[in-house]
């Protein structure tokens, strides 16, 4: 399998949302997208734009305490996960994460590095980083496509 890497820049929350919207418009059933980045880099904001690209109009909140939020109103089922609070991958298995990862919807997983060994080989990894020297709202967004 090959990996294609693309680096993009966002200079505002709106640009980040637009980028996520564009990515979501290209997703297919069964796609898995992982979001990696420190606290406060905009992962949940990215998720909101992603949902918008799937045609979901309801507000998107980080599922930090529920782990998974399901949205059915868009063009594909959307499973938004946040694995930050999981102690280990076994916890994800117990709550049935595999059903989402290998289902017919689209999974977007914040803090996916917490369950990295469960992530399918074919996925889109998105890393979001701040660079305060370039401005408070600046984000370097690296897409690594393993599909």
């Amino acid at each position: 399998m090959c990996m294609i890497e693309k680096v993009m820049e966002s200079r505002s929350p709106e640009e980040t949302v637009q980028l996520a919207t564009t990515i979501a418009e290209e997703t297919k059933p069964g796609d898995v997208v992982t979001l990696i980045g420190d606290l406060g880099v905009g992962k949940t904001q990215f998720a909101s734009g992603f949902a918008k690209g799937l045609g979901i109009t309801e507000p998107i909140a980080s599922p930090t305490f529920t782990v998974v939020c399901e949205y059915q109103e868009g063009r594909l089922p959307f499973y938004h996960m946040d694995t930050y609070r999981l102690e280990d991958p076994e916890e994800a298995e117990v709550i049935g994460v595999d059903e989402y990862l290998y289902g017919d919807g689209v999974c977007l997983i914040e803090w996916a590095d917490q369950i990295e060994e469960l992530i399918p080989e074919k996925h889109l990894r998105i890393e979001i980083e701040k660079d305060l020297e370039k401005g408070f709202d600046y984000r370097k967004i690296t897409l690594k496509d393993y599909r």
Side-chain angles (χ1 to χ4, degrees), residues 21 28 36 45 53 75 87 103 108 111-112 144:
T21 299
K28 300 177 297 305
I36 310 297
Q45 190 161 42
R75 69 176 178 84
E87 299 277 328
L108 181 115
W111 297 99
K144 296 180 179 179

Side-chain angles (χ1 to χ4, degrees), residues 1 3 30 56 58 64 72 97 105 113 119 121 131-132 145:
M1 173 183 338
M3 186 267 292
I56 296 167
E58 65 183 282
T64 302
Q72 300 292 330
V97 166
D113 44 345
I119 303 298
E121 188 177 349
D131 185 343
L132 294 177
D145 195 343

Side-chain angles (χ1 to χ4, degrees), residues 14-33:
E14 295 78 21
E15 282 184 23
T16 300
V17 166
Q18 184 55 51
L19 172 64
T21 299
T22 301
I23 291 170
E25 289 169 347
E26 302 297 319
T27 57
K28 300 177 297 305
D31 280 352
V32 174
V33 178

Side-chain angles (χ1 to χ4, degrees), residues 31-94:
D31 280 352
V32 174
V33 178
T34 63
L35 286 179
I36 310 297
D38 293 334
L39 283 170
V41 296
K43 291 183 297 297
T44 302
Q45 190 161 42
F46 187 97
S48 293
F50 195 88
K52 180 180 171 186
L54 290 172
I56 296 167
T57 57
E58 65 183 282
I60 302 298
S62 181
T64 302
F65 295 101
T66 58
V67 183
V68 181
C69 288
E70 295 184 35
Y71 302 90
Q72 300 292 330
E73 73 173 276
R75 69 176 178 84
L76 294 169
F78 175 47
Y79 310 120
H80 180 202
M81 300 181 201
D82 184 329
T83 59
Y84 180 75
R85 296 204 178 277
L86 298 182
E87 299 277 328
D88 55 54
E90 287 77 33
E91 280 186 71
E93 289 178 310
V94 168

